[in-house]
């Protein structure tokens, strides 16, 4: 058995990591997934993404991997820098050798000077607790069932012409990851996603996104506009997309959305939010939309 040390980890560029994307897809995505990692996490793996990639290899064979990106989050105490961590994976036959710990430790060290807070989405919390990560605040998911609904004027598919309006609505959110217009446009064209808008008097007043790559199918995971307009759009969107049920990721600051969705909400559940590790001040209250998750 090969003995691995932290020195076995190296950072590689996007061009290098491209050859391992099919392998990462097998490790990270459900069997038979229709969309690969570049569609599921475009902010990391697409050609215009801004990810950093850390690997452990044996020659050209990938044994372990971790990806990060630095973002500005607008939270309860204003904007702050954070390191989003994802795609922590180890070759199945090499698990238990400490590879994931090695590569994650190296990735955190490489980003330490850029952000005091790190957030990650974890399936196995115990691994990350050993590195100082703590559970995040619970997040509310709403199980939504389609109900009879009269025709809703103004609901249509989002087009390129709507990107600027959607970006303006994103900027109005009190808690969000900062995006420029180009990044927003790229995310709104993510494969595997349906994006709709609600238009009133010639103006887009709400947008909503359902599905994304292989990880958020059947989930309404990002929306902009006030709660009443978002509810109108999502309820009409269930019919437009032919969904009999779906999950709504409910940001904590959207205090009126559940009530606005009315009888369509058949259950509310809480799930753990992303784990986090902070140096110095505690992590401010914040929300990561589905399009920004890694």
């Amino acid at each position: 058995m090969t003995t691995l040390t932290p020195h076995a980890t190296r950072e590689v560029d996007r061009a290098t990591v491209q050859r391992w994307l099919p392998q990462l897809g097998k490790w990270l995505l459900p069997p038979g997934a229709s969309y690969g990692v570049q569609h599921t996490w475009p902010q990391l793996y697409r050609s215009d993404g801004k990810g950093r990639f850390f690997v452990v290899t044996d020659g050209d064979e990938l044994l372990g991997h971790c990806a990060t990106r630095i973002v500005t989050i607008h939270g309860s105490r204003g904007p702050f820098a954070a390191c989003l961590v994802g795609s922590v994976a180890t070759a199945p036959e090499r698990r238990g050798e400490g590879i994931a710990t090695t590569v994650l430790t190296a990735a955190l060290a490489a980003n330490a000077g850029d952000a005091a807070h790190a957030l990650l989405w974890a399936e196995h919390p115990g691994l990350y607790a050993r590195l100082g990560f703590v559970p995040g605040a619970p997040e509310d998911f709403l199980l939504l069932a389609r109900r009879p609904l009269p025709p809703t004027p103004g609901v249509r598919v989002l087009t390129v012409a709507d990107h600027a309006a959607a970006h303006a609505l994103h900027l109005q959110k009190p808690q969000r990851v900062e995006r420029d217009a180009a990044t927003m446009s790229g995310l709104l064209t993510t494969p595997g996603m349906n994006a709709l808008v609600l238009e009133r008097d010639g103006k887009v007043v709400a947008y909503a996104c359902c599905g994304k790559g292989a990880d958020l199918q059947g989930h309404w995971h990002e929306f902009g506009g006030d709660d009443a307009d978002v509810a109108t759009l999502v309820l009409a969107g269930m019919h437009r997309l032919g969904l009999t049920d779906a999950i709504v990721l409910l940001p904590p600051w959207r205090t009126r959305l559940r009530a606005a969705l009315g009888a369509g909400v058949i259950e509310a559940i809480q799930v753990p939010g992303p784990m986090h590790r902070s140096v110095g001040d505690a992590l401010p209250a914040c929300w990561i939309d589905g399009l920004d998750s890694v």
Side-chain angles (χ1 to χ4, degrees):
M1 180 181 295
T2 303
T3 300
L4 297 173
T5 72
H7 301 292
T9 301
R10 59 191 173 98
E11 184 173 359
V12 297
D13 60 19
R14 183 177 294 101
T16 300
V17 85
Q18 292 297 306
R19 59 179 154 166
W20 291 312
L21 293 188
Q23 188 171 352
L24 288 172
K26 292 179 181 179
W27 293 354
L28 295 166
L29 302 178
S34 300
Y35 300 96
V37 294
Q38 71 271 33
H39 303 137
T40 304
W41 301 292
Q43 298 255 46
L44 295 175
Y45 298 106
R46 204 162 61 180
S47 60
D48 57 350
K50 301 184 185 302
R52 295 180 69 181
F53 311 99
F54 303 85
V55 299
V56 172
T57 60
D58 183 359
D60 288 334
E61 180 186 1
L62 182 65
L63 303 182
H65 172 274
C66 176
T68 65
R69 70 185 184 97
I70 299 295
V71 299
T72 298
I73 298 177
H74 293 258
S76 58
R77 301 199 299 268
F80 63 94
C83 177
L84 303 187
V85 184
S87 299
V88 182
T90 304
E93 68 276 10
R94 303 295 294 267
R95 290 171 185 165
E97 298 180 26
I99 295 175
T101 299
T102 295
V103 72
L104 179 55
T105 299
L108 293 171
N111 286 278
D114 298 315
H117 307 281
L119 296 90
L120 65 83
W121 287 257
E123 292 185 2
H124 306 289
L127 167 67
Y128 307 106
R130 294 197 298 269
L131 295 177
F133 283 89
V134 298
E139 296 181 349
D140 292 318
F141 282 24
L142 306 178
L143 180 58
L144 190 67
R146 187 174 70 197
R147 300 292 187 185
L149 188 73
T152 307
V155 173
R156 58 174 176 79
V157 173
L158 181 146
T159 69
V160 173
D162 302 313
H163 286 188
H167 184 234
L169 290 170
H170 177 72
L171 294 178
Q172 293 175 15
K173 301 172 187 176
Q175 295 182 20
R176 66 186 189 278
V177 173
E178 188 172 290
R179 304 176 193 151
D180 59 24
T183 298
M184 185 77 178
S185 291
L187 291 176
L188 289 173
T189 58
T190 299
M193 185 174 77
N194 291 287
L196 305 177
V197 297
L198 174 63
E199 187 174 27
R200 183 183 303 118
D201 299 326
K203 180 181 179 181
V204 171
V205 296
Y207 76 92
C209 302
C210 185
K212 175 179 74 77
D215 69 335
L216 286 172
Q217 294 304 313
H219 290 63
W220 293 97
H221 56 83
E222 167 154 352
F223 13 81
D226 69 31
D227 289 352
D229 287 334
V230 167
T232 296
L233 178 54
V234 168
L235 292 172
M238 296 287 286
H239 290 262
R240 178 95 187 201
L241 300 180
L243 300 173
T244 57
D245 57 75
I247 292 173
V248 177
L249 278 60
L250 182 65
W253 53 269
R254 286 195 175 274
T255 56
R256 296 184 297 275
L257 181 56
R258 179 177 177 178
L261 290 169
V265 178
I266 58 176
E267 187 178 2
I269 60 174
Q270 284 195 324
V271 300
M275 298 186 77
H276 59 88
R277 188 180 85 158
S278 299
V279 178
D281 293 339
L283 178 73
C286 59
W287 175 260
I288 313 296
D289 281 311
L291 280 179
D292 294 299
S293 65
V294 299

